[in-house]
Amino acid sequence: MAYDDNNIFAKILRGEAPCFKVYEDDMTLAFMDVMPQVDMHTLVIPKSPAEHLFDLPPEYAGAMAKTVQKVALAVKKASGMPGIMVAQLNGSEAGQTVFHIHAHIIPREGGIDLKFHARDLADFKMLEAQAEKIKQHL
Ligand code: AMP
């Protein structure tokens, strides 16, 4: 399947759709997931038109890994959660729903269940406040 320039993350990268930004550099962007599975669920995307891991240029894969490490540490500190799950889905069969590669950063703690994937829109004021809190720990 060819990369679709009209996917929502491509629009966010072009500034055509809004996001609650946490971090940005020349090669990557991190922002809040608007249908979070848990508080502080954050996404990291490369600024390269790739659907998944297999069509991502290696230099962007490296940049993405660096940003995931940086933002995941900030999410860990901001959330106070002991565990951080990093997930990255490749293809609809794997559960991918947005076809611009992204990594999920998901705080975890025993006894806290994950909500459904990509289902319920969160309160935007809450997402904004969470993004600010994460930024303070970068
Ligand atoms: P995946 O199923 O791995 O492709 O994950 C896509 C993620 O993007 C889901 O967790 C959605 O909740 C999230 N998502 C969809 N649209 C937006 C958006 N406009 N801004 C932020 N997150 C989004």
Side-chain angles (χ1 to χ4, degrees):
M1 197 164 87
Y3 179 82
D4 175 8
D5 268 330
N6 284 318
N7 76 73
I8 186 64
F9 294 171
K11 288 182 181 173
I12 287 173
L13 282 176
R14 290 196 297 269
E16 294 168 11
C19 74
F20 296 99
K21 192 198 295 187
V22 167
Y23 173 78
E24 181 170 21
D25 60 26
D26 286 353
M27 296 175 89
T28 64
L29 175 69
F31 53 93
M32 304 312 293
D33 193 307
V34 289
M35 290 168 272
Q37 290 187 259
V38 68
D39 280 350
M40 301 216 180
H41 182 166
T42 308
L43 301 172
V44 174
I45 65 175
K47 295 181 177 179
S48 177
E51 268 187 61
H52 39 57
L53 196 54
F54 315 117
D55 60 349
L56 184 65
E59 63 273 23
Y60 279 95
M64 191 176 163
K66 274 191 191 171
T67 298
V68 167
Q69 185 184 46
K70 184 182 180 77
V71 174
L73 183 59
V75 169
K76 188 174 192 317
K77 289 177 182 165
S79 66
M81 290 283 182
I84 298 292
M85 180 168 92
V86 174
Q88 192 270 307
L89 313 180
N90 297 286
S92 52
E93 293 83 356
Q96 186 175 4
T97 58
V98 176
F99 294 95
H100 180 111
I101 182 173
H102 50 280
H104 297 260
I105 296 172
I106 300 178
R108 302 295 305 269
E109 182 175 47
I112 296 207
D113 289 334
L114 292 182
K115 293 185 202 148
F116 278 107
H117 181 67
R119 201 171 79 170
D120 299 321
L121 206 56
D123 177 75
F124 283 3
K125 285 256 173 271
M126 184 194 77
L127 291 178
E128 192 177 16
Q130 290 180 359
E132 284 310 312
K133 198 167 175 195
I134 295 166
K135 279 195 256 180
Q136 285 168 15
H137 288 89
L138 280 169

